[in-house]
């Protein structure tokens, strides 16, 4: 392949020397700091980090922002008592390698979705129903199940060439959503779907009212260039993240009302505040806000009927997901815990998961918690079965059951 | 001390890393961003990765994944017209044309196809090392390379070299 290599070498001569050493080292330090503080980076980070803050707008798009009144209150009283969790791997189909991820779950904890990594052309998408696994037809490249509702209807994204595309899977049928370069991210039990159109975080927020509808654009807050929506509840409220520039981490959280109009916006009071939407339910939304420079994190509950915000007493810095029943799932590199008021229920690691060996980079990611907090799922690294040195690891889908 | 060792590591590889980043992105700004982001990730885990010992492989993996992520995150506007080509002399004309043709063809590949070309052919990695960098199987590397070369042949039929390369790889 010498001739082609020579041709590439010729092309590479046009490269300059990009001396980014100092910037990279500074960026690395900043990353270490963020890891220490936030230490989650889960769905909220993928969504684009929302900057929510202490400033809360009580009116729609062009209304002036007003200061929210923090009023510490106990966690919601609906929270059931839990004392312990057990963990086990989720099964993969017979003949499949162990490597698998679980990225979505429905609010009841019955359905979960993810993907496998077979070496051949076998189906890669996995759907678990009460722990029983089956495969779905693979759509596009790098396909994944990104959301699933109480009916077991799943949202799938994949790539066709350079374009991302989305599908919905229901009752054995795979329906391609309309629109080009569209990323579906969430759906409710009525089959209303939200997502974005465009490249990744540069996308505009859109909503599909039915599986066959054209995507409707949701309005952006003033000054925002893009948004990613992450949640939709059964009433049709939509929650997301809007940011002013494609590469800007600091932005604002936004909630749209069921009629598609912008309902509420939130913006950070300080430039170093970063926040994430960590849950949207029928009556309320949960958001978190953290600083890159201070080891603290704030959690807020937003009432969808009144628009009032209430500061929650949670202090864990690893908060990633909230449940409607008032649980916070907090995850740091070495541990994960369900928090509700004074109750703290640790989540054990799956057998074989190592997080204190410097030779390996452990991955432990919780992606979904059921509304009642009794079913938690995600994926963790375990050693590859064929590696006698115990150095090579795979991620495997895991589920925690709590009582 | 960590900072010094990081600097030493990067400085000795900067020229090569810059070329890889440029080939992956086809754009100076994007290449600089890609390299900076990848090195920042390396820096954030420098102590641990250095202990592990295989820093080059780790960096290669980050670079590849950062490339894919960046491509998904931001629609890069590649305009070769923005970068003025130095006026070639008569004897350089053919080489310049070939270079432009291959760059334009590379720009039309998917990020994964472009990556497999850069890793396997430009970096001259083995199939196994390419698979490690791309976190996929050797079979996937083979098929990706097959698709990439096939697509290049379609996109740049002027380059007879591609036909020969394909025969070499899949004979």
């Amino acid at each position: 392949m010498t001739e082609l290599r020579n041709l590439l070498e010729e092309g590479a001569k046009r490269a300059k020397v990009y001396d980014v050493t100092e910037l990279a080292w500074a960026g690395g330090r900043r990353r270490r700091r963020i890891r220490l503080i936030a230490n989650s980076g889960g769905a909220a980070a993928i969504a684009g980090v929302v900057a929510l803050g202490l400033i809360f707008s009580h009116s729609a798009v062009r209304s002036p922002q007003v200061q929210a009144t923090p009023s510490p209150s106990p966690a919601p009283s609906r929270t059931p008592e839990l004392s312990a969790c057990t963990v086990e791997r989720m099964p993969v189909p017979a003949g499949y390698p162990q490597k698998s991820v679980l990225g979505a779950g429905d609010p009841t904890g019955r359905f979960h979705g993810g993907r496998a990594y077979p070496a051949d052309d076998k189906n890669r998408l996995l759907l678990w129903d009460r722990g029983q696994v089956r495969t779905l037809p693979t759509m596009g490249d790098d396909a994944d199940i990104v959301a699933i509702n109480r009916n077991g209807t799943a949202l799938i994204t994949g790539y066709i060439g350079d374009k991302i595309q989305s599908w919905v899977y229901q009752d054995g049928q795979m329906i391609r959503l309309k629109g080009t370069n569209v990323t579906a991210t969430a759906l409710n039990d009525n089959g209303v779907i939200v997502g974005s159109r465009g490249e990744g975080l540069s996308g505009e927020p859109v909503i599909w009212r039915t599986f066959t509808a054209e995507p409707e654009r949701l309005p952006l807050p003033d000054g925002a260039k893009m948004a990613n929506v992450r949640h939709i509840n059964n009433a049709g409220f939509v929650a997301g993240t809007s940011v002013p520039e494609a590469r800007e981490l600091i932005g604002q959280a936004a909630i749209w009302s069921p009629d598609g109009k912008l309902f509420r916006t939130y913006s950070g009071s300080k430039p170093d505040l970063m926040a994430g939407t960590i849950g949207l339910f029928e009556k309320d939304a949960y958001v978190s806000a953290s600083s890159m420079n201070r080891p603290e994190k704030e959690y807020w509950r937003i009432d969808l009927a009144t628009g009032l915000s209430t500061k929650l007493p949670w202090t864990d810095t690893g908060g990633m997901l909230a449940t409607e029943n008032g649980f916070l799932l907090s995850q740091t590199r070495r541990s994960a815990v369900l928090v509700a008021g004074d109750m703290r229920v640790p989540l054990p690691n799956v057998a074989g998961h190592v997080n204190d060996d410097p030779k390996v980079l452990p991955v432990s990611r919780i992606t979904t918690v059921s509304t009642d907090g009794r079913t938690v799922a995600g994926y963790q690294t375990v050693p590859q079965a064929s590696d006698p040195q115990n150095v090579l690891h795979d991620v495997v889908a895991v589920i925690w059951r709590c009582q | 001390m960590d900072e010094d060792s990081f600097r030493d590591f990067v400085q000795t590889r900067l020229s090569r890393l810059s070329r890889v980043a440029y080939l992956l992105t086809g754009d100076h700004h994007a290449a600089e961003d890609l390299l900076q982001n990848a090195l920042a990730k390396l820096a954030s885990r420098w102590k641990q990765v250095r202990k592990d010992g295989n820093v080059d492989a780790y960096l290669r993996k980050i670079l590849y994944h950062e490339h894919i992520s960046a491509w998904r995150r931001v629609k890069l506007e590649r305009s070769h017209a923005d970068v003025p080509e130095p006026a070639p002399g008569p004897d350089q004309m053919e080489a310049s044309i070939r270079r432009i043709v291959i760059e334009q063809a590379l720009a039309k590949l998917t990020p994964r196809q472009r990556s497999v070309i850069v890793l396997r052919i430009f970096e001259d990695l083995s199939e196994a090392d390419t698979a490690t960098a791309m976190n996929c199987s050797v079979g996937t590397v083979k098929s990706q390379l097959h698709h990439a070369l096939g697509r290049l042949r379609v996109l740049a039929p002027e380059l007879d070299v591609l036909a020969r390369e394909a025969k070499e790889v899949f004979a």
Side-chain angles (χ1 to χ4, degrees), chain A residues 72-93:
Chain A
S73 67
S77 57
R78 296 165 284 171
T79 308
E81 287 293 324
L82 298 176
S83 58
C85 303
T86 58
V87 60
E88 60 183 303
R89 287 194 195 183
M90 290 293 258
V92 293

Side-chain angles (χ1 to χ4, degrees), chain A residues 17 33 53 67 79 110 126 141 159 163 187 221 227 242 258 278:
Chain A
V17 176
R33 223 167 35 228
Q67 187 77 30
T79 308
R110 171 181 168 178
L126 302 180
D141 292 329
Y159 285 82
K163 304 293 183 189
L187 83 166
S242 67
I278 56 174

